[in-house]
Amino acid sequence: MNKKIKTAIIHPLILIIGFFFGYQWSSFNYNDKCLDLGGGKNPGNYPICVIEKIVNKNMKLNGDMMPVEPNNGVGDGIENLGKLLEKNRKIKLMSVKIPTWKFDEVKSDFVIEFSEYEVNMSKAILRSTLKKLFEVKGSDNWNGLRFNSVSINNGKAIINLEGEWSPVGDMSGAYMKHELEAAVFQFSTVNSLEVKLKGKIFDWCIDDESDGESSCPKKQQLWIEKK
């Protein structure tokens, strides 16, 4: 066999051997990196190493990975992560004003003061305001009551509550009444208000023990108010 033929055979053979060992090293290095990151070999049966971290206002950067689940057997699930990231980027916030009824020493009278809070953007701003109001005043459970829904019809807001009335103090009912009404009547589209508990208009003076300090009469006081 002459020198030219040997060269023609040996060079391709060296290239093939080099490619084979290079591929093996690359595969070993790839899997090793996935294992170091906590992903394992082809994590989730994906053809690639999927390791992602997502941080938003509801998640802390603690080194945890965001799981990427298969799309019900369709596709490799990576598109779900892309949609999640895109949705996360699109979350917008808006400000709502939450009232506090408090005694003003200078005016020697009770006044309403508003504080601003950020919530997720929504066209249903009254609903978002009331949800935040209950969250701020009692971690969703305010004097034993929880916000359920609100509707507006011809300027009348109807608020539906659930739970069991359980005021935490002699004046807690009065605070709740003034603050909830202030939250609703700050909107120009609302002229009147009805508050219902389990489908019935609520008597906000029920079980009042303030001896008149809360302005409760001795008769039933249904929660119906006009601006």
Side-chain angles (χ1 to χ4, degrees):
M1 186 179 295
N2 60 41
K3 187 175 182 180
K4 289 185 178 180
I5 295 175
K6 287 182 178 180
T7 302
I9 294 174
I10 292 173
H11 283 182
L13 186 60
I14 291 173
L15 289 174
I16 293 172
I17 293 173
F19 176 81
F20 174 79
F21 282 105
Y23 175 81
Q24 292 296 321
W25 168 252
S26 176
S27 177
F28 172 82
N29 191 45
Y30 165 79
N31 286 326
D32 188 56
K33 285 183 178 179
C34 284
L35 287 168
D36 287 345
L37 291 172
K41 294 184 178 181
N42 295 335
N45 295 320
Y46 297 114
I48 64 172
C49 178
V50 180
I51 305 293
E52 291 290 343
K53 288 182 180 178
I54 299 177
V55 180
N56 61 23
K57 64 187 184 66
N58 294 320
M59 297 172 60
K60 297 180 179 179
L61 183 60
N62 57 10
D64 293 336
M65 291 184 297
M66 170 60 70
V68 184
E69 298 295 335
N71 187 15
N72 295 323
V74 181
D76 58 12
I78 298 173
E79 66 274 15
N80 291 343
L81 179 59
K83 290 178 182 179
L84 181 60
L85 289 168
E86 183 65 23
K87 181 180 179 181
N88 212 41
R89 284 194 292 268
K90 289 182 177 179
I91 292 177
K92 296 182 179 179
L93 301 176
M94 66 180 183
S95 293
V96 294
K97 294 181 178 180
I98 303 302
T100 297
W101 189 57
K102 58 185 294 185
F103 188 79
D104 188 312
E105 297 288 348
V106 176
K107 295 181 179 180
S108 297
D109 198 3
F110 282 91
V111 298
I112 286 288
E113 290 185 357
F114 285 91
S115 300
E116 291 193 0
Y117 292 83
E118 285 190 336
V119 298
N120 288 343
M121 180 71 72
S122 172
K123 293 181 179 179
I125 187 169
L126 177 55
R127 181 177 183 275
S128 296
T129 299
L130 291 172
K131 282 187 66 177
K132 193 64 180 180
L133 174 68
F134 272 74
E135 178 186 321
V136 170
K137 301 301 177 180
S139 298
D140 298 328
N141 190 316
W142 191 9
N143 285 328
L145 302 181
R146 299 180 299 278
F147 171 71
N148 181 280
S149 64
V150 61
S151 61
I152 303 177
N153 187 16
N154 294 324
K156 180 170 73 174
I158 300 177
I159 298 175
N160 293 293
L161 305 179
E162 56 186 23
E164 299 294 334
W165 177 241
S166 180
V168 296
D170 294 345
M171 289 287 289
S172 58
Y175 276 92
M176 184 177 192
K177 182 177 187 296
H178 284 86
E179 290 172 348
L180 191 148
E181 289 175 3
V184 172
F185 288 141
Q186 68 177 299
F187 299 103
S188 60
T189 54
V190 180
N191 301 314
S192 61
L193 168 68
E194 286 185 5
V195 179
K196 295 184 176 182
L197 177 60
K198 299 178 181 178
K200 296 181 180 180
I201 298 178
F202 181 51
D203 176 10
W204 68 274
C205 281
I206 190 172
D207 297 331
D208 178 71
E209 298 179 357
S210 66
D211 295 327
E213 189 177 0
S214 66
S215 302
C216 272
K218 293 182 179 180
K219 61 182 180 180
Q220 188 182 45
Q221 187 74 10
L222 298 180
W223 202 338
I224 303 173
E225 290 292 338
K226 291 184 178 181
K227 184 181 286 186

